[in-house]
Amino acid sequence: MTLSHPAYGQLRPVTATASVLLANNPGQMTLDGTNTWILRAPGRSDYVVVDPGPEDHAHTDAIVRETGGAIALTLITHQHPDHTDGIDRLVELTGTPVRAADTRFLRGAVQPLADGEVVEAAGLHITVLATPGHTEDSLSFLLDDAVLTGDTVLGSGTTVLEARDGALGDYLDSMDQLVDVAAGRALLPAHGPDHAAAEQVVRYYIRHRRERLDQVREALLVLGADASPEQVVERVYADVDKSLWPVAQSSVQAQLSYLRSRN
């Protein structure tokens, strides 16, 4: 039987080199849960794991079961706990080295991941792409046939931007970088279903972000140039469940910062 998303705790093959284990941590910010990607080159018996997921013994045990503990390397897309809290138990059980952009998550005698670096592990060649915006340390990983986008591009919905100054500019640059490499590759996100064609999803994300930016501009014309993020959210996200408004404020703050820096 061919598995389809979501399939909690079951290894679901997606491409020739990538399979996914979905953590059972669904929520407002995690959608159906966190996708842990398990990568293996044809003919190899060792693996690369991307994002160990939350602190959940059942999920970590499933990673160990499906890899036999033969994890050559673990990679981290970004700092959020639903991606990183499972690190230490996975290291304890398998001894895997762990690499990330943020030094807090390094395990073993390793260096932080660098933009443009080609990681060679378990017979795979993985190009590291710095794709900040969701977080400052966000990375994507490029395979021959797929791109793993972490929370930068999700399988459904849209990502939340950091409230920091410069986040939207960084994010738009990240989208430009991803669309340049997306053609002919599958999209393997950290939340939501995978997609066979990454390019159309990335282009949708770019259109959506530009549309939201136009809506914020229009809101400022009505509310005044000094309108608060809360006021803008009430107007722009009027058709969105109010429980999501606090999350939307982070993205709106990033957009306001972007617009005001250009005036």
Side-chain angles (χ1 to χ4, degrees):
M1 180 180 68
T2 301
L3 295 173
S4 59
H5 176 89
Y8 293 110
Q10 301 178 76
L11 188 68
R12 181 171 61 86
V14 176
T15 72
T17 55
S19 299
V20 63
L21 272 171
L22 176 60
N24 193 3
N25 63 327
Q28 190 177 79
M29 298 298 293
T30 59
L31 305 182
D32 298 303
T34 301
N35 292 325
T36 291
W37 288 97
I38 296 180
L39 312 179
R40 183 178 69 169
R44 294 291 294 240
S45 59
D46 52 351
Y47 299 81
V48 172
V49 169
V50 178
D51 287 345
E55 187 177 6
D56 177 338
H57 283 198
H59 183 64
T60 305
D61 291 348
I63 298 172
V64 176
R65 179 187 72 236
E66 296 297 344
T67 62
I71 303 174
L73 181 63
T74 295
L75 302 174
I76 304 299
T77 61
H78 67 290
Q79 63 185 276
H80 285 156
D82 57 303
H83 300 256
T84 59
D85 277 359
I87 287 175
D88 286 333
R89 179 167 169 79
L90 189 63
V91 171
E92 177 186 347
L93 294 176
T94 69
T96 178
V98 181
R99 298 190 65 193
D102 190 322
T103 58
R104 292 176 296 165
F105 306 113
L106 303 183
R107 303 291 186 271
V110 296
Q111 296 296 316
L113 291 167
D115 184 34
E117 176 183 356
V118 178
V119 174
E120 298 190 8
L124 297 165
H125 305 279
I126 305 168
T127 301
V128 179
L129 303 176
T131 50
H134 175 66
T135 64
E136 207 161 3
D137 68 324
S138 285
L139 301 174
S140 296
F141 300 117
L142 191 66
L143 302 171
D144 288 342
D145 59 355
V147 57
L148 292 89
T149 53
D151 283 11
T152 299
V153 179
L154 304 177
S156 61
T158 56
T159 197
V160 175
L161 303 181
E162 286 183 299
R164 67 175 174 85
D165 291 349
L168 179 55
D170 285 348
Y171 190 74
L172 293 174
D173 289 344
S174 296
M175 290 296 99
D176 288 343
Q177 183 175 200
L178 286 173
V179 82
D180 284 344
V181 300
R185 289 185 165 93
L187 178 81
L188 310 182
H191 301 285
D194 47 274
H195 294 269
E199 185 176 10
Q200 67 184 51
V201 181
V202 175
R203 290 193 183 280
Y204 163 76
Y205 261 61
I206 293 171
R207 288 195 305 272
H208 174 80
R209 189 54 60 194
R210 295 292 185 185
E211 287 167 0
R212 281 295 191 207
L213 196 57
D214 286 342
Q215 290 171 345
V216 172
R217 285 192 185 97
E218 291 169 3
L220 292 178
L221 291 176
V222 175
L223 299 170
D226 296 327
S228 69
E230 293 83 1
Q231 290 174 303
V232 174
V233 166
E234 287 180 9
R235 185 172 184 86
V236 172
Y237 291 81
D239 59 342
V240 174
D241 190 317
K242 287 186 179 181
S243 67
L244 296 174
W245 284 9
V247 175
Q249 284 180 24
S250 179
S251 292
V252 166
Q253 179 62 58
Q255 291 172 92
L256 289 173
S257 174
Y258 178 85
L259 292 173
R260 288 165 177 164
S261 71
R262 281 153 177 76
N263 290 337

